[in-house]
């Protein structure tokens, strides 16, 4: 069954897909993080993100009509039907890579939800207002570790800078909008993606400075996730996440 061609539905799925995929990435750290406190923190952040995704998917199911629910959105769509940001699907790598990825997305989520909580769509505004409280903690956690490791030893600084250099090319995509988003912006439903960029820089720049980390001078250029054009890593992630529901359709536990 194909999804209806509805701007709001497809926008809500974009909002849901990024936290779902990021939660899947963070969940892989459970039992493998550098220390117990970080292990618990990453797992709790993953659960927060999963809860945000579920709220958006449940709203999307009502927009999509009969036959759709949160499980079908998460487990029965193919790769090209997902519209998450490319940054969220990048591999965990080392703790440095995971932490930089998390910080960049935490700052974006904070800016996004702050503006989305003012949406004329009451359901989106309510979901965003609740999520904003969670991502405020997420941003405090990732910012603290960015500074602690970036301004730590020579080795920790070099590894954090290396991670920032590698992930920076994905940081333009959150602020690019297409015709779908622009129509919703005109209706007062979605925030203007481009207008969020200044707020994002306001949040990230002081942390990077305190961490003695330097953003690359090259312009960020990788995008396409919103339109279902994903990196080579995404298929493997999706196969792992969807294996059980697809191999045992209709199972309940």
């Amino acid at each position: 069954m194909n999804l209806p061609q509805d701007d709001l539905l497809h926008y809500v799925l974009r909002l849901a897909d990024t936290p779902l995929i990021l939660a899947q990435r963070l969940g892989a750290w459970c039992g493998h993080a550098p220390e117990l406190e970080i292990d618990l923190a990453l797992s709790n952040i993953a659960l927060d993100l999963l809860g945000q995704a579920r709220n958006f998917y449940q709203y999307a199911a009502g927009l999509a009509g009969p036959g759709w629910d949160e499980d079908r959105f998460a487990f029965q769509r193919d790769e090209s039907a997902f519209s998450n940001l490319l940054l969220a699907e990048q591999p965990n790598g080392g703790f440095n890579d995971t932490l930089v990825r998390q910080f960049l997305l935490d700052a974006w989520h904070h800016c996004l939800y702050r503006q989305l909580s003012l949406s004329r769509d009451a359901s989106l505004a309510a979901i965003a207002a609740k999520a904003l409280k969670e991502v405020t903690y997420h941003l405090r956690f990732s910012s603290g570790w960015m500074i602690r490791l970036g301004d730590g030893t020579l080795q920790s600084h070099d590894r954090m800078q290396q991670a920032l250099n590698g992930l920076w090319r994905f940081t333009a995509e959150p602020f690019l909008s297409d015709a779908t988003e622009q129509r919703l912006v005109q209706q007062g439903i979605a925030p203007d993606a481009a207008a969020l960029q200044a707020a994002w820089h306001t949040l990230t720049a002081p942390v990077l400075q305190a961490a003695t980390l330097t953003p690359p001078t090259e312009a960020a250029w990788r995008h396409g996730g919103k339109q279902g054009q994903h990196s080579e890593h995404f298929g493997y992630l999706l196969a792992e996440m969807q294996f059980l529901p697809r191999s045992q359709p209709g199972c309940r536990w």
Side-chain angles (χ1 to χ4, degrees):
M1 183 188 301
N2 292 325
L3 283 166
Q5 294 301 311
D6 179 83
D7 287 343
L8 180 57
L9 170 59
H10 287 273
Y11 179 67
V12 173
L13 289 176
R14 290 180 182 183
L15 295 173
D17 287 345
T18 291
L20 173 70
I21 298 306
L22 187 57
Q24 177 71 12
R25 281 296 191 212
L26 290 181
W29 275 105
C30 187
H32 300 281
E35 59 184 47
L36 181 59
E37 181 179 357
I38 298 173
D39 197 302
L40 293 172
L42 293 179
S43 297
N44 283 326
I45 291 172
L47 289 173
D48 286 344
L49 292 166
L50 185 61
Q52 293 165 23
R54 291 190 65 189
N55 287 335
F56 286 123
Y57 283 138
Q58 288 166 4
Y59 183 33
L63 297 172
W68 288 96
D69 58 22
E70 58 185 292
D71 287 341
R72 186 174 180 189
F73 283 127
F75 301 126
Q76 299 300 325
R77 286 184 298 155
D78 294 331
E79 181 177 339
S80 61
F82 278 81
S83 52
N84 56 279
L85 297 177
L86 294 178
L87 180 57
E89 68 193 47
Q90 297 312 298
N92 283 337
F95 183 57
N96 56 322
D97 301 295
T98 291
L99 185 59
V100 172
R101 182 189 64 200
Q102 190 65 34
F103 168 68
L104 297 173
L105 284 169
D106 286 343
W108 172 71
H109 267 139
H110 192 278
C111 298
L112 172 67
Y113 290 150
R114 187 170 54 190
Q115 292 302 311
L116 192 61
S117 66
L118 305 176
S119 172
R120 292 179 60 185
D121 185 299
S123 295
L124 286 182
I127 296 171
K130 180 179 184 296
L132 182 59
K133 299 176 183 178
E134 297 170 341
V135 301
T136 298
Y137 160 73
H138 301 171
L139 182 59
R140 185 167 65 246
F141 170 84
S142 59
S143 296
W145 276 102
M146 288 288 291
I147 296 171
R148 190 173 296 120
L149 295 178
D151 193 33
T153 66
L154 180 61
Q155 182 182 21
S156 70
H157 170 84
D158 288 347
R159 294 195 66 183
M160 294 298 284
Q161 185 65 57
Q162 182 182 37
L164 184 63
N165 292 345
L167 293 170
W168 191 256
R169 64 187 184 275
F170 300 104
T171 56
E173 186 181 22
F175 312 109
L176 301 176
S177 61
D178 56 12
T180 296
E181 290 188 14
Q182 284 302 316
R183 287 190 290 268
L184 294 175
V185 170
Q186 293 170 7
Q187 298 172 48
I189 294 175
D192 185 353
L196 298 176
Q197 192 165 24
W200 181 81
H201 279 296
T202 298
L203 282 179
T204 57
V207 175
L208 294 177
Q209 182 177 16
T212 66
L213 298 172
T214 305
T217 56
E218 297 85 357
W221 58 275
R222 288 292 304 274
H223 56 85
K226 290 182 180 182
Q227 290 75 37
Q229 302 166 11
H230 296 282
S231 67
E232 63 274 19
H233 311 291
F234 189 61
Y236 297 101
L237 180 152
L238 212 59
E240 182 178 85
M241 186 179 78
Q242 295 182 340
F243 171 76
L244 183 59
R246 284 181 178 261
S247 62
Q248 302 292 330
C251 65
R252 294 290 183 268
W253 56 84

